[in-house]
């Protein structure tokens, strides 16, 4: 389905298109499309909500299928309930830079071992040697976290999940290895030698580190809102994954 077609259907029904200051952002595609839209409107998240129309299999962030267009247009007349999801953030104290994500934040080095000292709430936790770490939200638990053998976190639970990416383990060095699902107010601090060959991925975006030695990851106060015009079944979506 082309956006132009949906726009024409909506304008026939009295809606106006406003790409710079929208109240409602309609996304046609998959979960990846919604992630891109969220990042596009990152600095306006408190003024708008999202609704997704999926063109593939039912995603976690999409509510309507293409062939439900007519019923979606009907639904748009009613008042939606708003479902809020907290973002996760990575703060770089040396530069003052903050990155936000809905699914997850990853610190990753592909070709060289990345050695990270992990402190949680000020307590030293472990030294992770491997390809890096992934910290995901509840919403992100079904995304790359799942491929990293992280746990699926049920809807409605507000937690953070830390998993290591390809950890090195031998007689003299081991780490927790299991996914650590932690309280939402935990603060994860990572320290390392100056990181230059390290990428910080945040959802579909990435930032190449410039020699930073410190990253602080926590749940953000910023949230994204999804407009729900009808009941949402998490289990149906979960079943669609496999
Ligand atoms: P992308 O093509 O936009 O997405 C990759 C796949 O991840 C797509 O199938 C997408 O679903 C799915 N996905 C995204 N968010 C999800 C969620 N919360 N729950 C379940 N599935 C989800 O790829 P990208 O631009 O590189 O990265 C965007 C996101 O994709 C990242 O945040 C990452 O979590 C995820 N990703 C996953 C893997 C993996 O599982 N191995 C690899 C790369 C990236 P749709 O088809 O509905 O868009
Ligand atoms: Mn999909």
């Amino acid at each position: 389905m082309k956006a132009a077609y949906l726009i024409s259907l909506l304008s026939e029904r009295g809606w106006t298109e406003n790409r710079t200051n929208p109240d409602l952002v309609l996304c046609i595609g998959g979960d990846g499309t919604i992630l891109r839209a969220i990042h596009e409107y990152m600095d306006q998240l408190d003024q708008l909500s999202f609704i997704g129309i999926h063109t593939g299999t039912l995603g976690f962030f999409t509510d309507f299928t293409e062939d439900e267009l007519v019923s979606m247009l009907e639904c748009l007349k009613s008042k939606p309930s708003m479902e809020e999801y907290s973002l996760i953030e990575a703060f770089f104290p040396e530069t003052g830079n903050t990155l936000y994500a809905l699914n997850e934040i990853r610190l990753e080095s592909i070709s060289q071992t990345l050695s990270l000292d992990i402190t949680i709430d000020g307590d030293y936790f472990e030294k992770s040697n491997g390809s890096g770490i992934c910290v995901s939200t509840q919403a992100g638990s079904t995304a790359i976290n799942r491929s990293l053998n992280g746990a699926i976190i049920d809807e409605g639970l507000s937690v953070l999940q830390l998993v290591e990416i390809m950890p090195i383990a031998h007689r003299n060095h081991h780490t927790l290895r299991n996914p650590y699902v932690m309280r939402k107010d935990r603060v994860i601090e990572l320290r390392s030698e100056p990181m230059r060959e390290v990428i910080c991925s945040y959802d579909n975006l990435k930032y190449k580190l410039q020699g930073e030695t410190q990253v602080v990851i926590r749940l953000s106060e910023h949230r994204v809102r999804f407009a729900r015009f009808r009941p949402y079944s998490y289990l149906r979506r979960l079943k669609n994954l496999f």
Side-chain angles (χ1 to χ4, degrees), residues 30-32 35-36 60-61 103-104 139 142-144 147 203-204:
D31 288 333
L35 286 177
R36 278 166 192 74
F60 286 85
F61 307 138
N103 276 343
E104 78 285 296
T142 45
I144 208 162
S147 304
D203 293 340
N204 55 301

Side-chain angles (χ1 to χ4, degrees), residues 30-31 56-59:
D31 288 333
T57 52
L58 184 59

Side-chain angles (χ1 to χ4, degrees), residues 9 16 30 35 61 70 81 105 179 182 188 190 210-211 218 240:
L9 290 177
T16 37
L35 286 177
F61 307 138
V70 177
S81 66
I105 286 173
M182 58 183 82
I188 303 167
L190 309 164
Q210 318 264 307
R218 68 199 321 163
N240 262 316

Side-chain angles (χ1 to χ4, degrees), residues 108-161:
E108 225 170 351
S109 165
I110 305 301
S111 52
Q112 288 161 355
T113 302
L114 176 59
S115 186
L116 292 170
D117 283 308
I118 305 178
T119 299
I120 298 174
D121 285 355
D123 278 329
Y124 185 73
F125 183 60
E126 66 180 16
K127 181 187 276 296
S128 161
N129 287 320
S131 294
I133 55 112
C134 171
V135 186
S136 58
T137 60
Q138 179 276 328
S141 70
T142 45
I144 208 162
N145 168 70
R146 177 169 163 260
S147 304
L148 295 168
N149 283 322
I152 304 294
I153 305 295
D154 206 358
E155 62 174 341
L157 299 175
S158 185
V159 293
L160 288 173
Q161 179 166 191

Side-chain angles (χ1 to χ4, degrees), residues 31-216:
D31 288 333
T33 323
I34 296 217
L35 286 177
R36 278 166 192 74
I38 289 169
H39 284 280
E40 206 172 312
Y41 289 101
M42 189 52 81
D43 51 2
Q44 300 173 46
L45 289 186
D46 45 354
Q47 295 145 44
L48 52 81
S49 57
F50 292 87
I51 176 164
I53 303 153
H54 69 85
T55 49
T57 52
L58 184 59
F60 286 85
F61 307 138
T62 49
D63 276 2
F64 292 92
T65 59
E66 276 182 286
D67 49 16
E68 288 175 320
L69 215 55
V70 177
S71 78
M72 188 196 87
L73 293 166
E74 271 307 300
C75 281
L76 286 182
K77 292 179 186 162
S78 58
K79 196 172 153 27
S81 66
M82 290 296 169
E83 181 119 26
E84 290 194 333
Y85 289 77
S86 292
L87 300 180
I88 186 171
E89 63 181 46
F91 173 64
F92 297 86
E94 288 138 315
T95 57
N97 190 21
T98 307
L99 304 173
Y100 299 94
L102 172 59
N103 276 343
E104 78 285 296
I105 286 173
R106 282 181 281 153
L107 216 60
E108 225 170 351
S109 165
I110 305 301
S111 52
Q112 288 161 355
T113 302
L114 176 59
S115 186
L116 292 170
D117 283 308
I118 305 178
T119 299
I120 298 174
D121 285 355
D123 278 329
Y124 185 73
F125 183 60
E126 66 180 16
K127 181 187 276 296
S128 161
N129 287 320
S131 294
I133 55 112
C134 171
V135 186
S136 58
T137 60
Q138 179 276 328
S141 70
T142 45
I144 208 162
N145 168 70
R146 177 169 163 260
S147 304
L148 295 168
N149 283 322
I152 304 294
I153 305 295
D154 206 358
E155 62 174 341
L157 299 175
S158 185
V159 293
L160 288 173
Q161 179 166 191
L162 170 70
V163 297
E164 284 182 88
I165 303 169
M166 293 193 266
I168 295 172
H170 53 68
R171 207 190 315 183
N172 300 324
H173 179 83
H174 16 236
T175 47
L176 178 65
R177 291 197 77 91
N178 302 80
Y180 178 6
V181 178
M182 58 183 82
R183 278 166 39 173
K184 65 176 178 187
D185 57 351
R186 294 275 190 217
V187 179
I188 303 167
E189 198 178 330
L190 309 164
R191 280 176 192 267
S192 156
E193 294 296 303
M195 292 181 271
R196 289 200 178 82
E197 296 306 315
V198 176
I199 302 283
C200 180
S201 304
Y202 51 115
D203 293 340
N204 55 301
L205 301 173
K206 61 173 188 264
Y207 164 70
K208 187 170 187 292
L209 273 73
Q210 318 264 307
E212 291 92 329
T213 63
Q214 232 179 313
V215 189
V216 182

